């Protein structure tokens, strides 16, 4: 089976940094160790080189350095396609030569928390396993790792010679700029990730970036500061999400508004606050010398200028480099840390003290026309409805099983459990992962609406009848300004016999 963990190697051998730059080819996601990536740039001004191998699309002049560019589709024997605006060139080191790898699109930066290395099948999206180092899980996604050494060792092409010949040929065409010495090239160089925000472009020093992920569902938080869009759930952690449009007074695009389908979330740690910032798409990873960072324009307000390290001029735009430590004041950092404390999402030793307060934190979710709630401390995480695998001869209350980062968990459709008509999951549907007995279990709900603090004094005994068949599972009722929330008692959700059956459907990856 392709997902069987190999005994000889782990993903740490292939991804020592623990972070992947992921990209797509033919709609399939591949990954490279971020430590091996020097830069990610847009595809522009690539000059064809006569006599170059068919998989070398040409060379580009990257700030005076001539970089041969490999078309990864041709190199991996995939059908070539016409370039698109989403194409990117990932600059890596191949045999001591900085080399570009042209890909269909760059997806995100992913931090691995599972270092089990799975074997690859003979072909992955048409790419032979000769070029692959294995497969890893990131969340619920299976990412295939590219083995750069195997590309160089291929017997089909003399690739080392071909790459070096491509650069040498480019020099003969007068494309090389020799104004920089070898010793100067890597000295005093910083790496930034650039992104769009409305009509403007910004950059963040990559050393502050923990991860870059797709925009997950946002849950509103009562009484949060205006610049906080809400909270998001990333791998068991609930983090505040900041609105940079408001913080930097950026005008949104007239056509698309504040947020678009290309939105991504950059995860940062600023002081004592761990948080996410939503941006209108990742552009590039660039390497810039300190001397090339120009002072911020004098026309900016003093508060705006204090948040910028300076600006970098690219061929097609100006990028404002953010001074990360100045994005949030100490007071702002404390506010965000307090949000975490109030929601009970800090370290486990904070949970006991929060339970003795006059308020409880709940996650509210919708099922049919009713709103239900679970105490936040009972919720491990909230995920989108992914690939649920049916299990033959499973009990009727089990929808199937889900592979959650290598852990197999049973999934229950609460609609079915409460006697409601079956409904296909929608874009709003979510799976709430929570322990039932000793088994982590996924509960499919119609939508997750909010995280809410409720005064214990507002809790009442449950009614005799609701519009769904959930009466036996309701422990208390909270009457809030936005309506009634029925609090569920998980231990009553299944009978003793069903609990015993549930445990047989849980499993973990082999170490």
């Amino acid at each position: 089976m392709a997902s069987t963990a190999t005994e000889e190697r782990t993903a740490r051998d292939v991804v020592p940094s623990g972070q992947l730059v992921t990209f797509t080819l033919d709609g399939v996601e591949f990954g490279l160790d971020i430590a091996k990536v020097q830069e990610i740039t847009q595809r522009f001004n690539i000059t064809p080189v006569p006599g170059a191998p068919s998989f070398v699309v040409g060379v580009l002049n990257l700030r005076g350095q001539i970089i041969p560019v490999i078309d990864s589709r041709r190199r991996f024997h995939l059908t070539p396609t016409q370039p698109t605006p989403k194409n990117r060139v990932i600059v890596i080191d191949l045999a001591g030569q900085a080399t570009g790898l042209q890909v269909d699109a760059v997806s995100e930066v992913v931090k691995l928390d599972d270092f089990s290395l799975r074997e690859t099948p003979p072909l992955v999206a048409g790419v032979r396993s000769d070029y692959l180092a294995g497969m890893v899980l990131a969340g619920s996604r299976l990412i295939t790792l590219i083995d750069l050494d195997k590309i160089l060792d291929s017997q089909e092409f003399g690739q080392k010679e071909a790459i070096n010949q491509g650069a040498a040929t480019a020099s003969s065409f007068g494309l090389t700029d020799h104004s920089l010495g070898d010793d100067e090239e890597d000295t005093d160089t910083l790496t930034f990730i650039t992104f769009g925000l409305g009509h403007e472009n910004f950059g963040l020093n990559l050393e502050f970036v923990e991860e870059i992920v797709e925009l997950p569902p946002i849950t509103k938080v009562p009484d949060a500061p205006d610049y906080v869009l809400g909270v998001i759930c990333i791998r068991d952690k609930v983090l505040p999400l900041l609105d940079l449009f408001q913080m930097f007074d950026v005008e949104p695009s007239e056509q698309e508004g504040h947020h678009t389908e290309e939105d991504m979330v950059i995860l940062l740690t600023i002081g004592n606050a761990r948080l996410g910032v939503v941006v209108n798409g990742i552009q590039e990873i660039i390497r810039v010398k300190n001397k090339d960072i120009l002072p911020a324009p004098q026309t900016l307000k003093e508060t705006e200028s204090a948040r910028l390290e300076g600006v970098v001029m690219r061929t097609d735009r100006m990028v404002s480099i953010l001074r990360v430590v100045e994005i949030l004041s100490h007071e702002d950092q404390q506010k965000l840390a307090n949000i975490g404390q109030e929601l009970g999402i800090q370290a486990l030793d904070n949970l006991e003290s929060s339970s003795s307060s006059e308020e409880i934190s709940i996650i509210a979710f919708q099922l049919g026309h009713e709103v239900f709630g679970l105490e936040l401390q009972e919720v491990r995480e909230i995920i989108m409805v992914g690939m649920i695998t049916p299990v033959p001869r499973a009990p009727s209350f089990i929808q199937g099983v889900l592979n959650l980062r290598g852990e197999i968990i049973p999934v229950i459709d609460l609609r079915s459990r409460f006697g409601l008509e079956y409904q296909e999951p929608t874009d709003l549907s979510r799976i709430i992962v929570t322990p039932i007995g000793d088994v982590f279990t996924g509960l499919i709900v119609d939508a997750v609406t909010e995280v809410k603090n409720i005064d214990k004094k507002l809790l009442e005994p449950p009614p005799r009848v609701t519009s769904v068949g959930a009466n036996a599972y309701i422990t208390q009722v909270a009457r809030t300004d936005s309506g009634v929330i029925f609090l569920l008692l998980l231990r009553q959700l299944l009978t003793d016999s069903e609990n015993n059956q549930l445990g047989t459907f849980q499993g973990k990856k082999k170490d």
Side-chain angles (χ1 to χ4, degrees):
M1 185 175 176
S3 62
T4 301
T6 60
E7 297 180 358
E8 297 81 5
R9 307 173 74 193
T10 71
R12 292 188 185 276
D13 299 317
V14 185
V15 192
S17 71
Q19 285 184 294
L20 285 176
V21 172
T22 66
F23 60 91
T24 56
L25 287 176
D26 251 6
V28 176
E29 196 168 27
F30 295 86
L32 289 168
D33 185 0
I34 195 172
K36 297 180 180 179
V37 176
Q38 298 181 9
E39 190 165 334
I40 299 175
T41 185
Q42 293 178 326
R43 186 191 188 281
F44 63 93
N45 296 334
I46 294 180
T47 304
V49 177
S54 60
F55 58 88
V56 175
V57 69
V59 295
L60 64 84
N61 186 332
L62 194 64
R63 298 183 303 281
Q65 184 180 15
I66 298 304
I67 306 293
V69 178
I70 295 174
D71 184 340
S72 56
R73 280 181 161 272
R74 292 183 182 274
R75 187 66 190 92
F76 297 144
H77 314 291
L78 300 176
T79 303
T81 60
Q82 291 297 317
T84 73
K86 290 188 175 182
N87 286 162
R88 292 292 184 270
V89 175
I90 303 176
V91 181
I92 53 181
D93 187 321
L94 285 182
Q97 165 72 47
T99 305
L101 192 65
Q102 179 180 298
V103 299
D104 291 355
V106 170
S107 304
E108 55 188 356
V109 176
V110 174
K111 186 175 183 179
L112 293 180
D113 54 7
D114 181 347
F115 284 88
S116 298
L117 191 63
R118 279 89 175 158
E119 296 176 353
T120 54
L123 288 176
V124 177
V127 179
R128 295 204 307 259
S129 60
D130 301 356
Y131 304 124
L132 308 177
M135 307 176 88
V136 292
L137 278 173
S140 59
R141 293 148 43 204
L142 200 58
I143 299 174
T144 304
L145 305 181
I146 298 293
D147 191 333
L148 296 179
D149 294 333
K150 293 290 182 65
I151 295 178
L152 292 177
D153 291 340
S154 171
Q155 298 178 359
E156 184 175 1
F157 298 105
Q159 180 140 344
K160 294 180 183 180
E161 293 75 11
I163 291 174
N164 292 329
Q165 181 61 40
T169 305
S171 299
S172 69
F173 277 80
L175 295 176
T176 308
D177 183 353
H178 298 284
S179 60
L180 296 178
D182 292 338
D183 294 337
E184 184 184 357
E185 183 176 346
D186 292 327
T187 305
D188 204 22
T189 301
L190 303 173
T191 305
F192 300 98
I193 188 155
T194 71
F195 56 88
L197 209 63
H199 294 294
E200 300 186 35
N201 305 283
F202 293 88
L204 282 169
N205 194 318
L206 197 60
E207 70 176 85
F208 292 99
V209 176
E210 292 188 16
E211 195 168 349
I212 302 169
V213 298
E214 294 181 355
L215 179 63
I218 303 173
T219 303
K220 298 293 184 182
V221 179
D223 304 322
D226 293 339
Y227 57 82
V228 176
L229 291 170
V231 294
I232 56 176
C233 186
I234 301 290
R235 294 191 178 87
D236 304 344
K237 302 296 183 182
V238 179
L239 307 176
L241 186 66
L242 305 193
D243 184 357
L244 291 185
F245 279 94
Q246 178 165 320
M247 296 183 70
F248 294 109
D249 195 25
V250 175
E251 289 292 331
S253 168
E254 295 178 1
Q255 295 180 345
E256 299 178 332
H258 282 72
H259 302 298
T260 73
E261 294 180 355
E262 302 294 327
D263 283 355
M264 302 290 285
V265 172
I266 302 176
L267 303 184
L268 305 167
T269 298
I270 303 177
N272 60 349
R274 187 165 182 257
L275 50 90
V277 294
V278 61
V279 301
N280 294 154
I282 301 300
Q283 297 169 340
E284 301 174 291
I285 295 178
I286 60 175
R287 290 163 59 87
V288 179
K289 294 183 181 299
N290 254 330
K291 64 182 181 63
D292 293 329
I293 301 177
L294 307 176
Q298 296 181 356
T299 54
L300 295 179
K301 299 177 183 177
E302 184 176 349
T303 54
E304 295 175 342
S305 180
R307 287 175 165 175
L308 296 182
E309 294 282 358
V311 298
V312 172
M313 304 304 298
R314 304 295 286 170
T315 56
D316 57 345
R317 65 192 185 281
M318 181 182 78
V319 178
S320 300
I321 303 299
L322 297 180
R323 182 176 285 128
V324 175
V325 294
E326 297 293 340
I327 292 179
L328 293 173
S329 66
H330 179 73
E331 181 182 359
D332 290 333
Q333 293 174 27
Q334 192 58 48
K335 286 180 182 178
L336 295 180
N338 288 340
I339 288 177
Q341 292 170 358
E342 292 169 4
L343 292 176
I345 58 175
Q346 295 297 312
L348 290 176
D349 58 355
N350 289 335
L351 291 176
E352 183 177 354
S353 61
S354 66
S355 64
S356 62
S357 67
E358 293 302 317
E359 292 186 336
I360 60 172
S361 298
I362 67 166
I363 285 181
F365 60 89
Q366 194 163 354
L367 209 62
H369 299 294
E370 306 282 14
V371 177
F372 296 87
L374 287 171
E375 286 198 48
L376 189 61
Q377 65 186 26
E378 296 180 304
V379 176
R380 173 178 168 182
E381 63 185 292
I382 301 170
I383 61 176
M384 300 183 72
V385 179
M387 182 66 70
I388 299 174
T389 303
V391 179
R393 296 185 294 278
S396 59
F397 67 90
I398 293 181
Q399 179 85 5
V401 294
L402 178 71
N403 187 334
L404 186 63
R405 300 187 295 279
E407 182 179 5
I408 304 303
I409 64 171
V411 178
I412 297 174
D413 187 343
L414 279 190
R415 276 187 156 267
S416 175
R417 192 61 180 170
F418 291 172
L420 292 174
E421 182 182 355
Y422 175 75
Q423 175 180 291
E424 287 288 340
T426 69
D427 291 340
L428 297 177
S429 299
R430 295 292 180 266
I431 294 179
I432 299 175
V433 180
T434 182
I436 298 180
D438 296 325
V439 179
F440 279 111
T441 306
L443 305 177
I444 303 178
V445 301
D446 293 351
V448 172
T449 56
E450 62 181 336
V451 176
K452 193 174 188 67
N453 290 339
I454 294 180
D455 193 323
K456 291 182 179 179
K457 297 176 182 178
L458 300 178
L459 299 179
E460 303 175 2
R464 291 181 178 272
V465 178
T466 67
S467 61
V468 298
N471 302 293
Y473 319 122
I474 297 174
T475 175
Q476 288 177 306
V477 174
R479 299 189 182 276
T480 69
D481 295 337
S482 57
V484 176
I485 301 176
F486 300 103
L487 301 186
L488 294 183
L489 190 62
L490 285 175
R491 65 174 178 268
Q492 292 183 357
L493 192 60
L494 300 177
T495 65
D496 291 342
S497 173
E498 289 172 334
N499 267 315
N500 292 334
Q501 289 177 301
L502 191 69
T504 64
F505 291 89
Q506 184 186 41
K508 293 185 178 181
K509 62 184 182 299
K510 296 181 180 179
D511 295 328

Tab-separated table of all heavy atoms in Angstrom, residues 164-192:
chain	number	residue	atom	x	y	z
A	164	ASN	N	25.142	23.118	-16.462
A	164	ASN	CA	26.315	23.986	-16.532
A	164	ASN	C	26.533	24.520	-17.935
A	164	ASN	O	26.954	25.656	-18.136
A	164	ASN	CB	27.558	23.211	-16.058
A	164	ASN	CG	27.493	22.892	-14.571
A	164	ASN	OD1	26.912	23.646	-13.809
A	164	ASN	ND2	28.092	21.776	-14.172
A	165	GLN	N	26.252	23.682	-18.954
A	165	GLN	CA	26.406	24.117	-20.334
A	165	GLN	C	25.420	25.224	-20.658
A	165	GLN	O	25.732	26.182	-21.363
A	165	GLN	CB	26.200	22.936	-21.284
A	165	GLN	CG	26.374	23.292	-22.764
A	165	GLN	CD	27.770	23.804	-23.064
A	165	GLN	OE1	28.756	23.277	-22.531
A	165	GLN	NE2	27.879	24.833	-23.901
A	166	GLY	N	24.195	25.109	-20.092
A	166	GLY	CA	23.196	26.147	-20.331
A	166	GLY	C	23.641	27.480	-19.794
A	166	GLY	O	23.495	28.521	-20.449
A	167	ALA	N	24.225	27.486	-18.599
A	167	ALA	CA	24.708	28.739	-18.023
A	167	ALA	C	25.894	29.284	-18.810
A	167	ALA	O	26.011	30.484	-19.039
A	167	ALA	CB	25.101	28.517	-16.564
A	168	ALA	N	26.766	28.366	-19.244
A	168	ALA	CA	27.937	28.807	-20.017
A	168	ALA	C	27.517	29.402	-21.351
A	168	ALA	O	28.064	30.411	-21.804
A	168	ALA	CB	28.884	27.616	-20.239
A	169	THR	N	26.521	28.761	-21.966
A	169	THR	CA	26.020	29.279	-23.240
A	169	THR	C	25.428	30.665	-23.064
A	169	THR	O	25.614	31.552	-23.895
A	169	THR	CB	24.955	28.338	-23.829
A	169	THR	OG1	25.517	27.033	-23.941
A	169	THR	CG2	24.494	28.812	-25.186
A	170	ALA	N	24.712	30.856	-21.942
A	170	ALA	CA	24.118	32.170	-21.678
A	170	ALA	C	25.189	33.233	-21.539
A	170	ALA	O	25.038	34.360	-22.010
A	170	ALA	CB	23.281	32.098	-20.409
A	171	SER	N	26.303	32.867	-20.904
A	171	SER	CA	27.381	33.831	-20.751
A	171	SER	C	27.922	34.262	-22.101
A	171	SER	O	28.259	35.427	-22.314
A	171	SER	CB	28.509	33.216	-19.900
A	171	SER	OG	28.044	32.891	-18.620
A	172	SER	N	27.976	33.307	-23.037
A	172	SER	CA	28.496	33.632	-24.365
A	172	SER	C	27.576	34.575	-25.120
A	172	SER	O	27.994	35.234	-26.052
A	172	SER	CB	28.704	32.343	-25.171
A	172	SER	OG	27.451	31.749	-25.488
A	173	PHE	N	26.308	34.639	-24.700
A	173	PHE	CA	25.367	35.566	-25.324
A	173	PHE	C	25.391	36.925	-24.648
A	173	PHE	O	24.589	37.798	-24.955
A	173	PHE	CB	23.942	35.002	-25.270
A	173	PHE	CG	23.642	34.036	-26.369
A	173	PHE	CD1	24.080	32.715	-26.288
A	173	PHE	CD2	22.939	34.434	-27.493
A	173	PHE	CE1	23.809	31.818	-27.301
A	173	PHE	CE2	22.661	33.532	-28.512
A	173	PHE	CZ	23.102	32.218	-28.421
A	174	GLY	N	26.311	37.085	-23.665
A	174	GLY	CA	26.450	38.393	-23.029
A	174	GLY	C	25.375	38.687	-22.014
A	174	GLY	O	25.142	39.845	-21.691
A	175	LEU	N	24.745	37.645	-21.460
A	175	LEU	CA	23.668	37.882	-20.505
A	175	LEU	C	24.163	38.016	-19.078
A	175	LEU	O	23.437	38.441	-18.207
A	175	LEU	CB	22.655	36.727	-20.575
A	175	LEU	CG	21.909	36.590	-21.901
A	175	LEU	CD1	21.032	35.348	-21.857
A	175	LEU	CD2	21.074	37.826	-22.182
A	176	THR	N	25.389	37.629	-18.795
A	176	THR	CA	25.867	37.602	-17.420
A	176	THR	C	26.399	38.960	-17.001
A	176	THR	O	27.081	39.644	-17.750
A	176	THR	CB	26.996	36.562	-17.277
A	176	THR	OG1	26.527	35.330	-17.806
A	176	THR	CG2	27.395	36.392	-15.832
A	177	ASP	N	26.088	39.323	-15.762
A	177	ASP	CA	26.582	40.551	-15.155
A	177	ASP	C	27.639	40.164	-14.130
A	177	ASP	O	27.342	39.511	-13.140
A	177	ASP	CB	25.425	41.289	-14.466
A	177	ASP	CG	25.864	42.616	-13.868
A	177	ASP	OD1	27.077	42.887	-13.870
A	177	ASP	OD2	24.979	43.352	-13.383
A	178	HIS	N	28.890	40.552	-14.388
A	178	HIS	CA	29.991	40.167	-13.512
A	178	HIS	C	30.314	41.250	-12.491
A	178	HIS	O	31.373	41.237	-11.880
A	178	HIS	CB	31.259	39.874	-14.340
A	178	HIS	CG	31.075	38.724	-15.282
A	178	HIS	ND1	31.067	37.412	-14.878
A	178	HIS	CD2	30.857	38.702	-16.631
A	178	HIS	CE1	30.898	36.611	-15.921
A	178	HIS	NE2	30.758	37.367	-17.001
A	179	SER	N	29.388	42.158	-12.247
A	179	SER	CA	29.676	43.271	-11.349
A	179	SER	C	29.756	42.835	-9.899
A	179	SER	O	30.320	43.537	-9.072
A	179	SER	CB	28.595	44.350	-11.487
A	179	SER	OG	27.323	43.819	-11.169
A	180	LEU	N	29.210	41.655	-9.551
A	180	LEU	CA	29.248	41.181	-8.175
A	180	LEU	C	30.254	40.060	-8.050
A	180	LEU	O	30.259	39.122	-8.826
A	180	LEU	CB	27.858	40.672	-7.739
A	180	LEU	CG	26.757	41.720	-7.694
A	180	LEU	CD1	25.456	41.045	-7.299
A	180	LEU	CD2	27.100	42.829	-6.722
A	181	GLY	N	31.095	40.149	-7.037
A	181	GLY	CA	32.046	39.083	-6.793
A	181	GLY	C	31.382	37.929	-6.066
A	181	GLY	O	30.326	38.076	-5.477
A	182	ASP	N	32.032	36.765	-6.075
A	182	ASP	CA	31.475	35.580	-5.421
A	182	ASP	C	31.322	35.783	-3.926
A	182	ASP	O	30.365	35.326	-3.317
A	182	ASP	CB	32.373	34.359	-5.679
A	182	ASP	CG	32.332	33.944	-7.149
A	182	ASP	OD1	31.356	34.302	-7.822
A	182	ASP	OD2	33.291	33.271	-7.590
A	183	ASP	N	32.292	36.475	-3.307
A	183	ASP	CA	32.222	36.667	-1.863
A	183	ASP	C	31.087	37.593	-1.480
A	183	ASP	O	30.521	37.493	-0.396
A	183	ASP	CB	33.554	37.245	-1.352
A	183	ASP	CG	34.694	36.252	-1.529
A	183	ASP	OD1	34.398	35.049	-1.612
A	183	ASP	OD2	35.862	36.696	-1.582
A	184	GLU	N	30.729	38.514	-2.381
A	184	GLU	CA	29.699	39.499	-2.067
A	184	GLU	C	28.305	38.923	-2.203
A	184	GLU	O	27.373	39.373	-1.556
A	184	GLU	CB	29.855	40.697	-3.012
A	184	GLU	CG	28.893	41.834	-2.723
A	184	GLU	CD	29.025	42.947	-3.728
A	184	GLU	OE1	29.895	42.861	-4.615
A	184	GLU	OE2	28.235	43.903	-3.633
A	185	GLU	N	28.159	37.855	-3.022
A	185	GLU	CA	26.843	37.376	-3.429
A	185	GLU	C	25.965	36.968	-2.256
A	185	GLU	O	24.803	37.312	-2.186
A	185	GLU	CB	27.016	36.205	-4.391
A	185	GLU	CG	25.710	35.680	-4.938
A	185	GLU	CD	25.940	34.587	-5.952
A	185	GLU	OE1	27.089	34.436	-6.410
A	185	GLU	OE2	24.967	33.898	-6.276
A	186	ASP	N	26.493	36.198	-1.294
A	186	ASP	CA	25.680	35.669	-0.211
A	186	ASP	C	25.823	36.466	1.072
A	186	ASP	O	25.321	36.055	2.113
A	186	ASP	CB	26.059	34.208	0.054
A	186	ASP	CG	25.648	33.323	-1.111
A	186	ASP	OD1	24.626	33.625	-1.732
A	186	ASP	OD2	26.378	32.358	-1.389
A	187	THR	N	26.549	37.578	1.040
A	187	THR	CA	26.772	38.363	2.238
A	187	THR	C	25.640	39.353	2.442
A	187	THR	O	25.218	40.031	1.509
A	187	THR	CB	28.119	39.121	2.129
A	187	THR	OG1	29.142	38.178	1.868
A	187	THR	CG2	28.417	39.866	3.417
A	188	ASP	N	25.155	39.424	3.687
A	188	ASP	CA	24.170	40.448	4.039
A	188	ASP	C	22.912	40.349	3.178
A	188	ASP	O	22.390	41.352	2.710
A	188	ASP	CB	24.808	41.839	3.881
A	188	ASP	CG	24.119	42.881	4.747
A	188	ASP	OD1	23.475	42.484	5.731
A	188	ASP	OD2	24.211	44.067	4.420
A	189	THR	N	22.439	39.114	2.955
A	189	THR	CA	21.252	38.889	2.130
A	189	THR	C	20.110	38.405	3.009
A	189	THR	O	20.287	37.532	3.856
A	189	THR	CB	21.543	37.843	1.034
A	189	THR	OG1	22.612	38.320	0.220
A	189	THR	CG2	20.320	37.624	0.165
A	190	LEU	N	18.933	38.986	2.806
A	190	LEU	CA	17.737	38.630	3.560
A	190	LEU	C	16.717	37.996	2.624
A	190	LEU	O	16.691	38.296	1.428
A	190	LEU	CB	17.132	39.869	4.225
A	190	LEU	CG	18.047	40.648	5.173
A	190	LEU	CD1	17.375	41.940	5.621
A	190	LEU	CD2	18.422	39.792	6.380
A	191	THR	N	15.890	37.124	3.175
A	191	THR	CA	14.862	36.445	2.389
A	191	THR	C	13.485	36.912	2.850
A	191	THR	O	13.184	36.901	4.045
A	191	THR	CB	14.969	34.921	2.536
A	191	THR	OG1	16.290	34.510	2.184
A	191	THR	CG2	13.972	34.213	1.629
A	192	PHE	N	12.665	37.322	1.897
A	192	PHE	CA	11.329	37.826	2.204
A	192	PHE	C	10.284	37.047	1.403
A	192	PHE	O	10.557	36.573	0.301
A	192	PHE	CB	11.198	39.308	1.840
A	192	PHE	CG	12.154	40.203	2.578
A	192	PHE	CD1	13.333	40.623	1.989
A	192	PHE	CD2	11.871	40.634	3.869
A	192	PHE	CE1	14.219	41.442	2.658
A	192	PHE	CE2	12.746	41.450	4.551
A	192	PHE	CZ	13.922	41.865	3.951
